[in-house]
Amino acid sequence: MKIWLHDGLVDEADAKISVLDHGLLYGDGVFEGIRVYGGRIFELEAHIKRLYESAKVIRLDIPMGKKELIEAVEETTRANSVIDGYIRLVVTRGVGTLGLNPFICENGRIFIIADNIQLYPEELYDKGMKVISATTVRNHPLTVPPQVKSLNYLNNILAKIEALDNDVPEAIMYNHEGYVAEATGDNVFIVRNGVIYTPPVQAGALGGITRNLVIELAKQENLRVVEKNLTRCDLYVCDELFLTGTAAEVIGIVGIDGRVIGEGKPGPITKLLRQRFFEYAHGKG
Ligand code: PMP
């Protein structure tokens, strides 16, 4: 595999970063996960925009212009002949000292990995997935803002551990006020009486690119989408529950904390949006 490291492609064995890089020492950096469908890099501009916005919030200068970075992502994808796969684009703070000061780090460091993707089994999409409510509270917006896609994922990892301890793949995270924020790596939607609801990003969610797209696709289907705060109860009594994300796409949730959602299988709106998303991603929408 060829990896983009800073300013060009190198062999995987040579793709090494320093132990003094603050991305490693402190999780100081930002990243994106991007899909490739049929050789097309999906929503690349939206991902690049979010990357630069995340970097701006944490005052990280990306040592490359947007256009150049897009070309680097494309070149890495081509070099690895990725047709249907997943790209990880990472910008670390770069090499510094053992202190926290980010401003004495050398340049930010960029690396790009383009590979195949490990998908949830197809069966999980047909039958739907179970989740739990995490006790780990989503980062307060005044701590590490959840709108920043930073390298610091420990908050999410702690919730993921709770899910795995309970033999389910995902957990719903709530914010400090008890409202639904997001799943550990996906956004949350519910359907009730034919209306789709999703928490506003200010509730502690990443502004998901799949989320935005699914909202658009739902509107094209003349479905009403409302952004509002949701409680744990709202999830328990909804007709349909589904998650969206680059890796998971659109996946139905059929159980949470021992409660069955709807009829215990992915509902009609979830299935419709999954289908519409598939068509859009594969250029048939
Ligand atoms: N929330 C979190 C915490 C995420 O890491 C992700 C991306 N994996 C998402 C939501 C979904 O965002 P996107 O649709 O842009 O992948």
Side-chain angles (χ1 to χ4, degrees), residues 48-271:
I48 295 289
K49 182 166 182 276
R50 186 171 68 187
L51 183 80
Y52 277 82
E53 286 175 358
S54 292
K56 183 174 185 183
V57 176
I58 70 160
R59 295 194 48 198
L60 168 62
D61 287 327
I62 298 181
M64 212 188 245
K66 282 187 188 165
K67 198 166 157 281
E68 257 184 300
L69 190 53
I70 285 176
E71 282 166 12
V73 172
E74 289 170 344
E75 202 178 322
T76 311
T77 309
R78 266 198 311 273
N80 292 288
S81 307
V82 173
I83 304 299
D84 287 291
Y86 183 84
I87 300 163
R88 180 56 59 91
L89 164 57
V90 181
V91 187
T92 69
R93 185 74 70 178
V95 174
T97 65
L98 288 180
L100 284 180
N101 188 346
F103 299 132
I104 54 175
C105 292
E106 295 163 11
N107 273 345
R109 301 288 290 182
I110 297 172
F111 62 89
I112 306 168
I113 307 165
D115 201 0
N116 294 319
I117 183 166
Q118 195 69 41
L119 299 169
Y120 284 137
E122 194 57 37
E123 200 197 351
L124 214 52
Y125 289 92
D126 295 338
K127 290 193 177 161
M129 190 165 93
K130 286 184 183 158
V131 296
I132 56 148
S133 292
T135 61
T136 304
V137 171
R138 186 75 182 104
N139 279 341
H140 189 291
L142 295 178
T143 59
V144 181
Q147 280 170 262
V148 172
K149 198 164 170 61
S150 84
L151 287 181
N152 204 309
Y153 256 55
L154 266 182
N155 181 228
N156 314 53
I157 290 166
L158 291 177
K160 183 83 171 184
I161 288 171
E162 290 187 57
L164 298 175
D165 280 348
N166 284 279
D167 295 322
V168 295
E170 255 297 354
I172 306 290
M173 301 185 77
Y174 299 83
N175 67 21
H176 57 286
E177 292 179 307
Y179 292 116
V180 176
E182 58 184 342
T184 67
D186 297 303
N187 290 109
V188 177
F189 288 76
I190 63 167
V191 180
R192 191 166 163 90
N193 299 326
V195 179
I196 300 171
Y197 299 92
T198 191
V201 288
Q202 290 78 8
L206 182 72
I209 286 160
T210 321
R211 172 188 187 273
N212 295 344
L213 204 57
V214 163
I215 291 173
E216 272 315 302
L217 294 171
K219 287 180 179 166
Q220 283 172 21
E221 296 295 322
N222 291 322
L223 292 162
R224 225 178 120 215
V225 184
V226 180
E227 291 188 44
K228 84 175 187 98
N229 278 328
L230 300 173
T231 64
R232 186 177 299 218
C233 246
D234 292 328
L235 303 193
Y236 289 167
V237 300
C238 68
D239 303 325
E240 297 183 37
L241 174 56
F242 63 89
L243 305 180
T244 66
T246 293
E249 301 174 323
V250 178
I251 188 160
I253 304 301
V254 294
I256 174 168
D257 304 341
R259 280 85 171 170
V260 175
I261 302 297
E263 289 171 16
K265 53 185 200 264
I269 292 181
T270 306
K271 281 182 10 201

Side-chain angles (χ1 to χ4, degrees), residues 262-279:
E263 289 171 16
K265 53 185 200 264
I269 292 181
T270 306
K271 281 182 10 201
L272 172 71
L273 292 173
R274 175 160 176 75
Q275 177 63 25
R276 291 288 296 110
F277 179 83
F278 180 90
E279 288 162 3

